[in-house]
Amino acid sequence: MQQKNKHELNPRVSADIVIFGFDFNQLKVLLIERENLDATEGMSQALPGDLIYENEDLYMAASRILNELTGLNNIYLEQVGAFGDPNRLNKEQDKLWLKSVRQQPDERVITVAYYSLVNLNDYVPQASSFAKSTSWIPLNEIAELAFDHSKILSKALQKLKDKIMMQPIGFNLLPEKFTFSQLHKLYESILGRELDKRNFRRKMLKLKLVESLDEKQEGVPHKPSRYFKFNEENYNRLIENGYDNFGF
Amino acid sequence: MQQKNKHELNPRVSADIVIFGFDFNQLKVLLIERENLDATEGMSQALPGDLIYENEDLYMAASRILNELTGLNNIYLEQVGAFGDPNRLNKEQDKLWLKSVRQQPDERVITVAYYSLVNLNDYVPQASSFAKSTSWIPLNEIAELAFDHSKILSKALQKLKDKIMMQPIGFNLLPEKFTFSQLHKLYESILGRELDKRNFRRKMLKLKLVESLDEKQEGVPHKPSRYFKFNEENYNRLIENGYDNFGF
DNA sequence: ATAGCTATGTGTCAAAAGTACACTTTGCGA
DNA sequence: TCGCAAAGTGTACTTTTGACACATAGCTAT
């Protein structure tokens, strides 16, 4: 019978979520705003997150948090990884803030990060216990975040970039019907570089991932775009046949 | 001041490692062998792992475990993810075994999985507290593992497959010098499919990832192969220039 | 009504990459 | 010296990528 080692870790575990949204122009992330309590007197931002409950699966915890923040269910949600540096909560500002909010601010907390893709049209702001004030911040305007959240965000973004090259998950950020430019702009926003318009269209159409609807934009001061929708069957066929790269 | 929620989780956290090795013929995984205590009387296998200590970073914990098992340091090690299903330790056989080994077998344990790539020539079996008996099992001979370890293994393998298409990490599984067939066979073993010999060679040489040494195999009953080694500078140049796919 | 604006929508050509495929070579061993 | 077994090599064809420019549709302002 092995003795219990008193140096074994017995931490709290939280789930933090990078929630991506797309406003047809740029990629945004839902962040919680926090007033700094030290001399800087400024605001700082953090990823939404919460401690995980007993009997709660990690994925379920992330779904719950996501739902409490956005009112949404059945949302694309993917694990980024676990972050457990013993000093991850030890920046001075973070410690002050934790002290004001938790009974045991010095406890070690390991976090399991997720990222999720939501359609901004479906989003309804919610009052949430763990996020008094939230806002959608454009990716390129995000400053240094609290805790190790900048690290989490950049890893989540990298995962999203890698993934979107392999699977057309971007559709989760768009409404049912969308124009080709919206889709195009979405890919450019995620990948952070320009993509040739014609080549992009050619590829999407060859893979038959989108299909045209008999409907056009109205009231736009230029040639109206046809609307398109995502073709899920063709996507599934691609996955089954071992398709593995978009090659943009 | 927020009240502490008594339903918040306070689990143990472990690190489990999928250790891959390559014997020039097939991909193998280092597993620990465990005697079953129930009626089945058989043996079953699990991934090596251990609880994480206080003040220990997740990556450090995985390195420690890896070192205790293999005697190796500075080994390629990558996180697979966190696995925290509340029932992940609740198969009957697993519960019996846990009871015999731990004081609080019912405690919830969240595990952070890693995979690592080791050169079998460097491996020296170690006596370890958490693994009385270990063996290298060929990937295709691995039966159902204990706990949720089969799930962890398959996710680790998938990550390895994805990664090796993007970065030449396979060299970690080989000695300094190796033949082209060994490298070729390694890629086939990881990807689980045949690769054309000539096309494979052409690609590796075009990317200048390997360079020829002035040395040949000796004592083999056929035309001896030249030895090659990995060219790290060219690899780094590739990464910097944004190279992102091998396209096998 | 018409001229101008703005984003949509479309095709071609050249370069690169991928795929399929078979025979000669080298050194050992019988 | 003959046979064996794996090493090593080239070509032809197909597919994919990447670069690039102009006509079109509907709205708006005059």
Side-chain angles (χ1 to χ4, degrees), chain B residues 83-100:
Chain B
F83 295 79
D85 183 337
N87 299 312
R88 58 182 289 274
L89 307 183
N90 290 355
K91 286 185 210 161
E92 277 310 315
Q93 257 183 24
D94 293 335
K95 279 162 80 173
L96 278 171
W97 183 76
L98 280 175
K99 244 175 242 167
S100 76

Side-chain angles (χ1 to χ4, degrees), chain A residues 181 197-198 201 222-223 225-226:
Chain A
S181 337
K197 183 169 59 153
R198 277 174 289 192
R201 182 182 279 255
H222 55 75
K223 177 172 176 178
S225 167
R226 270 144 74 214

Side-chain angles (χ1 to χ4, degrees), chain B:
Chain B
M1 191 70 117
Q2 186 178 309
Q3 274 307 98
K4 183 159 178 177
N5 184 330
K6 71 176 181 191
H7 296 301
E8 283 166 6
L9 182 60
N10 204 189
R12 298 287 164 183
V13 178
S14 64
D16 289 324
I17 316 190
V18 181
I19 303 171
F20 289 108
F22 180 64
D23 67 358
F24 297 139
N25 191 45
Q26 54 189 341
L27 201 58
K28 295 182 164 182
V29 179
L30 190 65
L31 296 177
I32 67 181
E33 315 264 3
R34 178 187 88 178
E35 273 178 69
N36 286 332
L37 303 168
D38 67 0
T40 67
E41 294 285 336
M43 295 288 285
S44 67
Q45 297 164 327
L47 294 174
D50 192 21
L51 292 177
I52 294 178
Y53 298 160
E54 284 177 25
N55 297 315
E56 193 178 40
D57 182 44
L58 305 177
Y59 182 89
M60 274 170 45
S63 305
R64 169 177 59 82
I65 294 166
L66 183 58
N67 173 263
E68 287 180 39
L69 278 165
T70 64
L72 301 172
N73 284 306
N74 300 315
I75 291 299
Y76 184 88
L77 190 59
E78 178 120 341
Q79 193 185 116
V80 175
F83 295 79
D85 183 337
N87 299 312
R88 58 182 289 274
L89 307 183
N90 290 355
K91 286 185 210 161
E92 277 310 315
Q93 257 183 24
D94 293 335
K95 279 162 80 173
L96 278 171
W97 183 76
L98 280 175
K99 244 175 242 167
S100 76
V101 162
R102 299 190 51 199
Q103 282 193 338
Q104 301 183 354
D106 291 332
E107 253 183 333
R108 186 159 164 198
V109 178
I110 286 176
T111 200
V112 180
Y114 284 78
Y115 76 87
S116 86
L117 306 180
V118 310
N119 173 356
L120 278 187
N121 294 332
D122 295 341
Y123 167 72
V124 183
Q126 308 282 312
S128 149
S129 60
F130 48 79
K132 310 239 176 326
S133 149
T134 63
S135 33
W136 289 98
I137 312 289
L139 203 54
N140 52 27
E141 291 172 23
I142 297 177
E144 181 73 14
L145 299 177
F147 312 119
D148 54 355
H149 288 185
S150 291
K151 194 169 151 196
I152 292 173
L153 172 58
S154 72
K155 194 151 182 193
L157 183 60
Q158 187 57 53
K159 274 216 147 183
L160 173 57
K161 283 183 187 176
D162 291 348
K163 188 86 174 189
I164 207 173
M165 294 296 285
M166 313 286 281
Q167 296 182 9
I169 55 172
F171 295 100
N172 293 292
L173 290 158
L174 294 170
E176 282 268 310
K177 56 186 189 183
F178 48 83
T179 71
F180 236 110
S181 338
Q182 288 167 349
L183 184 61
H184 181 218
K185 187 77 190 215
L186 170 59
Y187 271 73
E188 290 188 328
S189 303
I190 291 177
L191 296 174
R193 63 193 160 90
E194 291 197 348
L195 300 172
D196 183 273
K197 183 168 57 151
R198 277 174 288 191
N199 296 340
F200 178 81
R201 181 182 280 253
R202 168 157 44 125
K203 174 140 263 173
M204 282 290 168
L205 290 175
K206 184 161 47 96
L207 298 177
K208 299 194 173 148
L209 284 170
V210 295
E211 61 190 72
S212 173
L213 299 175
D214 282 336
E215 199 182 343
K216 285 181 181 175
Q217 275 184 322
E218 283 170 25
V220 288
H222 55 74
K223 177 172 176 179
S225 167
R226 272 144 74 215
Y227 280 113
F228 291 82
K229 73 184 185 75
F230 173 48
N231 184 321
E232 196 163 354
E233 295 122 54
N234 284 329
Y235 163 66
N236 289 330
R237 199 167 311 137
L238 276 183
I239 299 293
E240 276 163 35
N241 296 340
Y243 192 77
D244 62 6
N245 199 287
F246 277 82
F248 290 123

